[in-house]
Amino acid sequence: MRLVVLGPPGAGKGTQAAHLAASNGARHIATGDLVRREIAAGTPLGQTLKAYNDRGELVPDDLIIDLVTPYIAATSNWILDGFPRDEAQARALDAVLAAHAAPIDLVIALCVADEDLVTRMQGRRISGSTGKTYNLQSSPRPPDDPGPFLTRADDHPDEIRRRLAVYHQATEPLQTYYAAKGLLCRIDGGGQPEEVAARITRVT
Ligand code: AMP
C-alpha cells in the first residue's frame, strides 16, 4: 500500500497514518517527526530546521525532499504523513516514485474546520519519555506513561494561526492536484479518532 495522508495541522494525520501503517504492515513516514528528530539530535541540519519549525513555517523544499527521499525509496509499502506540503514537493515525489515504478494508490484528505483545529492543537501534549501524542480533550494520557507531557513549540496560538495560513495557501491546493489524477478521497476528520479510522477503512 502506498498512501498519502493530506490535511491541515491538527487534523489527525499522524494518528490515522500510524493506524493505517500498523493495520497494513506499511511504514509510517512522517516528515514532521523526521524534522523533530533532527532538531533533537542537534545536527547542523537540525539547527537550520528548528528556526522554521518553531515559527510554524515550512522548511525549504530541497531540505525536506532530501530528508524524506531515502525513507520513501527504502520500501514500496508506506503511508506518507505531512509530505508533500506543496506542489513542488508533490512533483518531486512523483519523480521519485516514477523512478521506482511505485505509484501512489490513494490520497486521503482529512477535512476539519479551522476553529476545531485550533482547539485540538492547544490540547495536544507529547510524552517526553515515549514520544506518543495525547490530547487533553480526546485522548488523555494513560496511567502507564510517566511523561513529562510537553506542548510542541509550534502549538502556541501565533504559530498555530501561521501554520493554518500556510496550509491554506500552500498545501490545500494539492487536493486539486491529486483530484486531477483521480487519486483524491476527502474524508470528514471530525469526531473521535476511531470514527475517522472507520471512515477511512471504508475507502481503503
Ligand atoms: P508536522 O508535525 O507535520 O505539523 O510538521 C512540523 C513542522 O515540520 C512543520 O511546521 C514544518 O516546519 C516542518 N515540516 C514537516 N513536513 C514538512 C514538509 N513536507 N515541508 C516543509 N516543512 C515540513
Side-chain angles (χ1 to χ4, degrees):
M1 170 181 269
R2 288 181 292 277
L3 205 143
V4 172
V5 183
L6 288 182
K13 296 188 297 297
T15 304
Q16 297 304 329
H19 176 72
L20 276 163
S23 47
N24 290 283
R27 178 149 192 195
H28 175 197
I29 304 173
T31 45
D33 289 346
L34 299 180
V35 165
R36 284 183 289 278
R37 205 180 302 159
E38 204 68 35
I39 293 171
T43 60
L45 173 61
Q47 284 164 20
T48 305
L49 299 177
K50 185 174 187 334
Y52 295 97
N53 176 81
D54 289 0
R55 287 195 300 264
E57 293 173 7
L58 295 186
V59 311
D61 288 331
D62 54 342
L63 296 183
I64 203 82
I65 291 165
D66 285 354
L67 192 62
V68 72
T69 297
Y71 292 88
I72 296 169
T75 168
S76 57
N77 205 8
W78 41 250
I79 313 289
L80 266 179
D81 155 15
F83 183 89
R85 278 292 227 279
D86 61 26
E87 195 171 320
Q89 295 180 16
R91 290 189 187 284
L93 176 61
D94 285 346
V96 172
L97 298 182
H100 289 81
I104 296 169
D105 294 319
L106 188 67
V107 176
I108 302 268
L110 293 177
C111 305
V112 183
D114 281 11
E115 314 84 79
D116 298 337
L117 294 168
V118 173
T119 311
R120 283 192 193 181
M121 282 188 274
Q122 286 180 331
R124 184 152 63 180
R125 297 291 181 274
I126 300 187
S127 166
S129 49
T130 64
K132 292 201 170 140
T133 300
Y134 303 108
N135 195 289
L136 299 180
Q137 290 90 20
S138 58
S139 55
R141 50 179 278 203
D144 60 348
D145 189 329
F149 299 95
L150 311 166
T151 305
R152 274 173 51 164
D154 56 350
D155 274 347
H156 294 291
D158 285 352
E159 286 71 23
I160 289 176
R161 271 190 288 279
R162 189 168 310 131
R163 288 161 68 207
L164 286 174
V166 168
Y167 169 77
H168 289 303
Q169 191 259 323
T171 311
E172 203 166 28
L174 288 182
Q175 291 193 23
T176 310
Y177 181 89
Y178 286 119
K181 293 176 183 284
L183 290 172
L184 187 78
C185 182
R186 287 166 57 89
I187 296 281
D188 173 6
Q192 292 300 311
E194 308 78 54
E195 298 171 298
V196 181
R199 286 175 208 135
I200 294 176
T201 302
R202 270 181 238 129
V203 299
T204 49

